[in-house]
Amino acid sequence: MKRNRQDALSHEGRWRPVICLSMVWLCFGVSFAQIKTHFFHTETFRTDEGLNHNLVYDFKADRNGMLWVQSVGHLQLFDGRTFIDMNHQMSGEPIYGKFSHGYEQDLYFLSGNSLSKLNTDQYTKPNSLRLTLPPITAEWKSYNFLYETRQQLFIWNTHDQLYQIDKATLDILNVITTPYIPHNRLIFYDIDPEIIDDTVVQYVDSTYRLISLDVRSGHFTVETQLPKAAALVQVSKDTIITIDREYIHIHVPGQQHSIPLPGEPRNFQGGGVLQVDKNRLLVALSNSIYEFHIRHQAWTAVYEKAGGEPLVEPRLRKLEQDIYGNIYFSTFNNGLVKIHPRNPGFDFIGKNDQYRYFVKCLSVSEQENLVLVGTLEEGLVLFDTLGQFKKRLLEFPDGSIHPYINGIVKLSESRFIIFTENAYLLQVHQDQYHISHIPGLDKSWPSYYNVNIPSGQNKVFYKSVYKGLLEIHDSIRVTFKLHPDSPLNGSIAVTPSGDSYWAVADGRLIELDPTLQTVRQEWTLPRIGFTRCLMAYNDNRLLLGGDVGLFMIQTGPDVKILNRLYDKVVYAILPGDTPEEFWFSTDYGLFKLKADLQLVHYSKESGLQENEFNTSSCFKTASGKLYFGGINGITSFYPFKVNESADHIITYVSSLSVNNNVIGRFFHTRPDSLYTFSHRENKLGIDLLGKGNKSPKSYNYQYFMKGLNQHWIDLGRENKINFHLIPGLYTFYYHIGDGFNPNAAPEHYLRIRILPPFYRRSWFILCGMLLLGGLVAYIIRLNKKRQTMKLNYEFQMKQKIQNERMRISRELHDNIGAQMGTVKRNLNFLITGGTSLSPDQVMKKMVDLETISTQINQELRDTIWVTQHEEISVFDFIARLKSYVFQTLGPESECRVFYLEHCDTKFLLGPFTALNVHRICQEAINNAVKHAGATEIKISFEGYGPAFKVRIKDNGKGFALDQVKDGYGLKHIRQRAAFIDAELNIESTPLEGTTIEVKLKPPESPDQLKDL
């Protein structure tokens, strides 16, 4: 138990042994007679509900009220509705062992010789703190927890060694040899802080002696001799309780008090002992769990399931309680059972019989101590007001069998009309029952839904049935009269209010006079579903219950619905014991409507027979006791005895998963919590959990996601929500309560951010904009540069064209002009001196003229060739040069020409570059043929791209470069190479030949203008 509960026995109020001795005789006399039966709602969890195995070895509640369960080779966490695998905290070894006591909130698990500290703050985190104790080889030896203090654990190896371990670090502080071999640890609870001592360890040895160990000195002391017992509990510093097969013994210094066990003590298994507060002890015997009051030294209660079933089987293993007051116990191979704390104000009727009673109608006579229960299939069943079974009537005196009881009308405290297909008069007197048939009832009059109308004045009773209003007279004999034309036809909701009756029939709210025949006022109801019950709230207001909730209606001249108090089906309404207090039944238990219109919810966890009730199945006695009938019996109570303690629901996000991977369990959200995920982590699963006095399965879950919707979405009992979110910021609000509350304050929330892809994030967009701006600026700058280059290009183009014009002029002037001058001189010579020339001389002059004319023609063709093309490929250049060589040498020339091509023939040359290279080649070939007397010329074309070069090598007579001045031909070759910025190499050796190589230079940059 946790420190936040009450202290065990206060210093001022701790009872004294002398007082106890004086009360022993009284305790013996009343310990059994005063036992009261408590009917608790229980939940059983087995493998079908997710438990790994029905055989539970050990379990323990942690600081958050979560239950750690160790079954066969498995460690699980139970949150009240779901079992979660926790084997990841044990590093994969076989799991079999025990939990520590859990004092000071930390929880440890001892499996074999491995001690682990369980992570109870981050459940998804693997175990990070562990201690491996020395291995034990003997089969009969093992490690067990013996004692726990605030800072230390004491673990013994079932023989003679006691390990003192620091809880914070799991370091072994000391190993102590125990001369008194421990038998078992002395169970203690932290209800009384004085029990826990950091310096003295107490345990019971194998001979049941109480041993104290002073940790500081290592000294052992025998405190007292205890009787052999199946269970030992230390409830205060000087009080120990032992239980054997027949008695519970209370040991105080120098004294012992023994009280017999109730039930069947011979089958007592031991171990199932739990101290729930400073005064109460729960003891599991063979047939049930009993409550023992320590201060009064008496058995005060026995716990049983609602429905009369035994609470436990004989072999119960362990009892445990969590911080919410829920009690758990495990059995041998029968799973885990949860007992919910009970509101002591509720009683249950219908528990002592083997049948499940679906209560159709009921009536009560407190004078005769009688509760009449009309069922759907089990006939008429009679109980006393304490719930003890009296009689079941299925076959009636006229020989007919009636399992279905339609209704019960109470004529007096001892006379009742029982409606089946027929009508019967039941008369009661001191547990004597006389029943007789009442003639005059048509079988077609009663209906499934009918209602008794409160009256009884002048021995006239009314019942609304399907075909009208049934009037019942109780005089010398009981007679019936049907009013088929009554305004109440088909109504099952009728209530008196002042001097009027109000009813709902066919979607109309009507006010009738006391005779139930005259309509005073009629009003059409809005579409609010099927109406099941009606009750006067005060002089001018009504409560109306039906399939869609509970409504407050204002009557008088202005009839209207004021508000909706509850939003689910309402079956029956009864007034409480204070003004403007009402109780109503639903499918989720009972609700109390307080004068301030606040609702208080009670469910089967509070001690109701069931959560589901039936239409018009209710009754209020003259003493103020309320009875509500349900699907398995009756819940009865005095409203003033029902504890109204609020159920403080602690809300958890039980799991948060992303793309089906759990990233967090059982955490409370904080205002500053923000969970950020990438755009790929957009499949979110959120499980909610409500922890309180009820089962988490009984709470109502609702949520809304700001960013998706703005109104609460009712999940009902479902607690799982899945989202597939687009990038954005969301706030997930959730609320857990007894029912759906559309006006719930958004107190609990979880903020979630889904990041967009990187290309949609602000930094990327900003960088993109900057990059785009830079690109635009670059394009503008580049465009401006290109415009400048274009202008420069156009200027250079014009300049080059002008230069080329001048070069062509010079070309024509230097070459063709000079040759034309020669032609002119020769012609003048022939004209003026032709008579003095011989015919051979004339012929020679004419041949010279023809040769010169041919050269002029070739020069003009070359000039026209380059001027007609913007670009000339290497292929065309080579072809042009070959054509020139062929025309120059002729077919009968003795000079042989060889070509070698290792170049990119697709590469383009500027036209004037091609012309100048072509002129250089022409000059080189002419020099080789005419002047050098070469008989062999090798022309090679090499290089790729801009590094194109032409080499012309002849085998002529050659010359010495250092002894020969540049003639007209070499001079022109150098000028033309310099003009196109080409690299020129001339090599010549006398009598061996000459090599002339012209090589184009690659441009220095891509933006360099191509030579035109």
Side-chain angles (χ1 to χ4, degrees):
M1 309 308 298
K2 304 304 174 200
R3 293 286 297 274
N4 58 353
R5 302 185 196 145
Q6 298 178 350
D7 291 345
L9 300 174
S10 64
H11 296 290
E12 297 78 13
R14 181 174 295 165
W15 47 270
R16 300 301 181 192
V18 176
I19 300 176
C20 296
L21 285 174
S22 66
M23 295 294 292
V24 167
W25 67 271
L26 180 61
C27 295
F28 274 97
V30 300
S31 60
F32 295 142
Q34 293 183 346
I35 292 180
K36 183 178 180 179
T37 302
H38 289 331
F39 294 96
F40 274 28
H41 170 67
T42 59
E43 292 181 289
T44 302
F45 302 94
R46 299 186 178 92
T47 54
D48 292 342
E49 288 78 26
L51 183 63
N52 176 67
H53 197 282
N54 287 337
L55 178 57
V56 176
Y57 288 122
D58 196 18
F59 60 96
K60 190 69 181 178
D62 66 13
R63 67 178 76 182
N64 302 315
M66 308 301 172
L67 200 70
W68 292 77
V69 182
Q70 193 266 309
S71 57
V72 179
H74 222 72
L75 185 65
Q76 291 180 291
L77 188 69
F78 181 55
D79 61 12
R81 65 184 295 162
T82 305
F83 287 92
I84 302 162
D85 182 86
M86 300 299 288
N87 279 6
H88 63 273
Q89 294 215 14
M90 304 307 298
S91 301
E93 74 271 5
I95 300 172
Y96 176 77
K98 290 183 176 296
F99 295 98
S100 66
H101 175 66
Y103 185 64
E104 292 289 315
Q105 296 189 339
D106 289 328
L107 192 59
Y108 299 83
F109 186 73
L110 183 60
S111 178
N113 65 329
S114 178
L115 176 66
S116 300
K117 182 178 181 180
L118 300 177
N119 291 314
T120 58
D121 51 351
Q122 298 182 25
Y123 291 99
T124 57
K125 183 180 178 182
N127 176 266
S128 58
L129 197 59
R130 141 171 303 172
L131 169 65
T132 301
L133 296 167
I136 299 178
T137 56
E139 294 182 0
W140 57 272
K141 287 187 177 182
S142 63
Y143 285 103
N144 280 303
F145 289 106
L146 182 66
Y147 200 83
E148 181 176 355
T149 69
R150 294 169 177 83
Q151 288 87 24
Q152 297 171 5
L153 290 170
F154 292 86
I155 297 176
W156 62 298
N157 66 357
T158 68
H159 185 53
D160 58 358
Q161 286 183 316
L162 185 63
Y163 290 83
Q164 182 181 1
I165 299 170
D166 184 272
K167 293 169 67 174
T169 62
L170 291 193
D171 293 330
I172 299 176
L173 304 177
N174 194 10
V175 180
I176 305 169
T177 301
T178 59
Y180 302 96
I181 308 303
H183 169 68
N184 204 345
R185 61 176 172 170
L186 183 64
I187 302 173
F188 62 92
Y189 300 94
D190 57 345
I191 294 173
D192 187 349
E194 293 184 358
I195 298 177
I196 311 300
D197 195 327
D198 285 329
T199 60
V200 178
V201 175
Q202 287 189 324
Y203 66 92
V204 179
D205 75 352
S206 57
T207 61
Y208 290 92
R209 291 174 295 184
L210 180 63
I211 307 299
S212 294
L213 164 64
D214 190 321
V215 177
R216 296 165 296 181
S217 64
H219 180 69
F220 288 85
T221 304
V222 179
E223 299 289 348
T224 185
Q225 178 69 51
L226 298 173
K228 184 177 181 180
L232 303 98
V233 182
Q234 187 176 11
V235 297
S236 67
K237 194 169 185 178
D238 55 0
T239 304
I240 296 176
I241 292 179
T242 64
I243 306 173
D244 57 26
R245 293 183 176 274
E246 295 184 359
Y247 293 93
I248 180 169
H249 306 281
I250 302 177
H251 304 270
V252 294
Q255 299 182 43
Q256 174 181 311
H257 313 290
S258 301
I259 299 94
L261 297 180
E264 301 176 6
R266 288 178 301 172
N267 296 327
F268 177 67
Q269 299 297 321
V273 180
L274 176 68
Q275 187 178 1
V276 294
D277 57 32
K278 65 179 181 179
N279 290 322
R280 291 184 302 144
L281 197 69
L282 296 184
V283 180
L285 301 182
S286 61
N287 59 340
S288 192
I289 295 178
Y290 290 83
E291 181 181 289
F292 182 76
H293 198 284
I294 302 172
R295 188 182 298 274
H296 296 161
Q297 299 185 26
W299 299 98
T300 57
V302 58
Y303 291 8
E304 292 186 10
K305 280 186 182 179
E309 303 173 21
L311 183 60
V312 298
E313 63 179 29
R315 302 186 68 192
L316 182 142
R317 293 176 62 95
K318 181 182 178 182
L319 281 171
E320 174 72 13
Q321 188 175 27
D322 64 15
I323 61 175
Y324 306 101
N326 301 305
I327 299 172
Y328 295 86
F329 68 84
S330 61
T331 64
F332 283 80
N333 207 29
N334 199 27
L336 193 69
V337 180
K338 180 180 181 181
I339 306 174
H340 291 275
R342 175 184 181 273
N343 195 309
F346 294 107
D347 292 315
F348 176 63
I349 297 176
K351 59 185 177 297
N352 291 332
D353 201 76
Q354 59 180 325
Y355 303 100
R356 291 178 62 88
Y357 299 120
F358 186 100
V359 180
K360 177 66 179 63
C361 52
L362 65 95
S363 187
V364 181
S365 171
E366 291 181 323
Q367 177 181 307
E368 295 293 338
N369 190 25
L370 184 66
V371 178
L372 293 82
V373 180
T375 69
L376 194 65
E377 296 180 345
E378 304 300 332
L380 180 68
V381 187
L382 306 179
F383 299 91
D384 67 13
T385 55
L386 296 179
Q388 298 299 316
F389 174 78
K390 286 190 172 185
K391 187 178 182 62
R392 178 168 174 258
L393 186 61
L394 188 61
E395 183 177 352
F396 285 72
D398 59 1
S400 59
I401 297 176
H402 296 288
Y404 167 54
I405 305 300
N406 179 271
I408 301 173
V409 173
K410 181 180 179 182
L411 302 177
S412 68
E413 290 295 319
S414 60
R415 300 172 69 247
F416 303 86
I417 299 177
I418 311 301
F419 286 92
T420 63
E421 293 180 349
N422 302 319
Y424 297 90
L425 178 64
L426 174 64
Q427 300 182 72
V428 183
H429 179 67
Q430 295 182 354
D431 288 340
Q432 299 296 318
Y433 310 102
H434 177 72
I435 189 164
S436 59
H437 179 258
I438 304 174
L441 180 70
D442 191 297
K443 292 183 178 181
S444 65
W445 293 352
S447 58
Y448 184 83
Y449 288 117
N450 56 75
V451 61
N452 297 333
I453 300 175
S455 178
Q457 298 179 358
N458 300 322
K459 293 189 176 183
V460 178
F461 302 87
Y462 294 99
K463 189 177 185 65
S464 177
V465 296
Y466 176 71
K467 290 195 173 183
L469 179 67
L470 183 63
E471 185 177 322
I472 305 170
H473 291 267
D474 181 22
S475 54
I476 299 175
R477 62 186 179 88
V478 177
T479 58
F480 303 109
K481 181 181 179 181
L482 181 68
H483 299 278
D485 298 327
S486 170
L488 297 177
N489 282 3
S491 176
I492 64 170
V494 184
T495 185
S497 178
D499 63 345
S500 301
Y501 280 86
W502 288 85
V504 175
D506 297 328
R508 298 171 295 122
L509 177 66
I510 56 178
E511 181 187 8
L512 298 99
D513 67 359
T515 67
L516 297 172
Q517 301 297 323
T518 303
V519 176
R520 292 179 173 176
Q521 185 178 201
E522 182 176 327
W523 181 66
T524 301
L525 288 170
R527 301 178 68 88
I528 58 174
F530 183 73
T531 301
R532 297 177 180 272
C533 50
L534 194 66
M535 180 61 62
Y537 183 76
N538 53 29
D539 291 341
N540 59 354
R541 291 185 181 181
L542 301 173
L543 292 176
L544 184 150
D547 286 353
V548 294
L550 181 68
F551 298 88
M552 177 77 76
I553 297 179
Q554 177 179 295
T555 59
D558 297 324
V559 178
K560 61 182 178 179
I561 294 179
L562 297 179
N563 52 11
R564 187 181 187 180
L565 304 174
Y566 180 70
D567 67 327
K568 292 181 176 61
V569 62
V570 176
Y571 291 113
I573 308 173
L574 287 177
D577 54 6
T578 60
E580 298 185 344
E581 175 193 304
F582 293 85
W583 294 74
F584 59 92
S585 58
T586 71
D587 277 335
Y588 301 101
L590 293 177
F591 285 84
K592 179 171 74 172
L593 176 65
K594 300 168 64 175
D596 59 0
L597 300 184
Q598 297 298 312
L599 295 178
V600 181
H601 179 226
Y602 301 91
S603 66
K604 58 186 179 182
E605 291 90 348
S606 305
L608 307 185
Q609 51 86 22
E610 283 287 353
N611 279 342
E612 186 176 350
F613 291 84
N614 296 326
T615 301
S616 301
S617 181
C618 61
F619 195 90
K620 181 177 182 179
T621 67
S623 67
K625 193 170 187 178
L626 306 185
Y627 293 78
F628 284 94
I631 64 173
N632 187 28
I634 298 172
T635 296
S636 63
F637 57 96
Y638 286 100
F640 69 90
K641 288 187 177 181
V642 176
N643 185 0
E644 195 182 300
S645 59
D647 183 10
H648 298 288
I649 305 172
I650 300 177
T651 61
Y652 287 94
V653 174
S654 63
S655 73
L656 175 62
S657 61
V658 177
N659 295 346
N660 298 322
N661 296 318
V662 177
I663 63 172
R665 286 197 184 278
F666 304 115
F667 58 89
H668 303 284
T669 56
R670 299 177 301 178
D672 59 346
S673 61
L674 175 63
Y675 295 85
T676 302
F677 307 105
S678 70
H679 71 284
R680 293 186 177 90
E681 299 173 318
N682 62 343
K683 295 179 181 178
L684 267 64
I686 301 176
D687 294 358
L688 302 176
L689 181 69
K691 296 284 285 184
N693 294 336
K694 302 181 181 67
S695 169
K697 299 178 182 178
S698 298
Y699 291 121
N700 194 90
Y701 299 86
Q702 61 189 70
Y703 80 96
F704 74 86
M705 179 75 87
K706 187 176 181 181
L708 294 179
N709 54 281
Q710 299 299 324
H711 302 287
W712 288 107
I713 297 175
D714 186 10
L715 295 172
R717 278 13 184 192
E718 180 60 43
N719 69 327
K720 300 179 182 296
I721 315 105
N722 293 300
F723 298 101
H724 194 164
L725 302 175
I726 62 174
L729 181 63
Y730 303 89
T731 304
F732 173 78
Y733 293 93
Y734 59 96
H735 178 78
I736 304 172
D738 292 318
F740 177 63
N741 184 3
N743 300 316
E747 299 175 341
H748 308 289
Y749 59 90
L750 181 70
R751 295 196 303 154
I752 300 169
R753 173 180 290 152
I754 304 296
L755 296 175
F758 71 92
Y759 51 84
R760 293 177 55 188
R761 299 182 192 177
S762 57
W763 64 266
F764 185 86
I765 295 175
L766 179 61
C767 292
M769 293 178 65
L770 293 175
L771 182 62
L772 181 61
L775 182 61
V776 171
Y778 173 76
I779 292 174
I780 293 174
R781 181 180 178 186
L782 182 61
N783 186 55
K784 186 176 180 180
K785 183 177 180 180
R786 287 182 176 177
Q787 291 292 334
T788 303
M789 291 176 63
K790 183 178 179 181
L791 293 175
N792 291 337
Y793 173 80
E794 291 176 351
F795 173 77
Q796 292 180 23
M797 177 73 81
K798 292 179 181 179
Q799 186 67 34
K800 284 182 177 292
I801 291 172
Q802 181 65 28
N803 292 338
E804 290 307 316
R805 286 174 179 171
M806 296 301 296
R807 284 197 292 270
I808 292 172
S809 298
R810 287 195 300 271
E811 185 81 19
L812 293 175
H813 179 269
D814 293 342
N815 294 332
I816 299 176
Q819 292 173 351
M820 288 299 293
T822 303
V823 170
K824 181 179 180 181
R825 287 193 300 270
N826 287 338
L827 288 175
N828 289 332
F829 181 77
L830 289 173
I831 292 172
T832 57
T835 57
S836 63
L837 297 175
S838 64
D840 292 337
Q841 291 177 331
V842 172
M843 181 59 66
K844 183 179 180 181
K845 290 292 184 183
M846 295 297 292
V847 172
D848 291 339
L849 287 174
E850 181 183 8
T851 299
I852 294 172
S853 299
T854 300
Q855 291 177 351
I856 293 172
N857 186 46
Q858 184 64 39
E859 295 283 348
L860 287 173
R861 286 180 179 178
D862 290 341
T863 304
I864 294 171
W865 171 60
V866 297
T867 57
Q868 287 180 342
H869 295 83
E870 294 183 0
E871 293 177 324
I872 297 173
S873 67
V874 171
F875 179 83
D876 292 337
F877 172 81
I878 295 173
R880 186 75 180 181
L881 184 60
K882 288 180 178 180
S883 176
Y884 170 77
V885 171
F886 179 77
Q887 292 178 3
T888 301
L889 298 181
E892 296 180 357
S893 173
E894 294 180 355
C895 182
R896 301 184 63 184
V897 180
F898 300 91
Y899 299 96
L900 183 62
E901 299 179 17
H902 292 292
C903 60
D904 181 9
T905 58
K906 295 181 180 180
F907 180 70
L908 300 178
L909 302 172
F912 296 105
T913 298
L915 177 62
N916 283 281
V917 175
H918 185 72
R919 289 278 193 262
I920 293 172
C921 293
Q922 285 180 338
E923 191 68 33
I925 292 170
N926 287 332
N927 288 340
V929 174
K930 293 181 179 180
H931 304 293
T935 60
E936 183 178 288
I937 300 175
K938 293 180 180 180
I939 304 176
S940 62
F941 307 95
E942 300 176 6
Y944 293 87
F948 176 70
K949 64 181 179 180
V950 182
R951 180 186 292 111
I952 301 174
K953 182 178 181 180
D954 63 66
N955 62 350
K957 58 184 179 180
F959 56 92
L961 288 175
D962 55 351
Q963 298 179 1
V964 177
K965 295 182 180 180
D966 288 347
Y968 183 79
L970 289 178
K971 180 180 179 181
H972 273 254
I973 287 176
R974 295 186 189 279
Q975 287 179 348
R976 290 185 182 278
F979 177 72
I980 61 174
D981 195 22
E983 182 179 340
L984 180 66
N985 293 318
I986 301 176
E987 297 179 358
S988 184
T989 303
L991 303 179
E992 292 184 3
T994 303
T995 300
I996 297 176
E997 181 183 86
V998 57
K999 181 179 179 181
L1000 301 181
K1001 294 181 180 180
E1004 295 181 358
S1005 67
D1007 295 332
Q1008 184 176 343
L1009 292 173
K1010 185 177 294 184
D1011 184 12
L1012 296 179

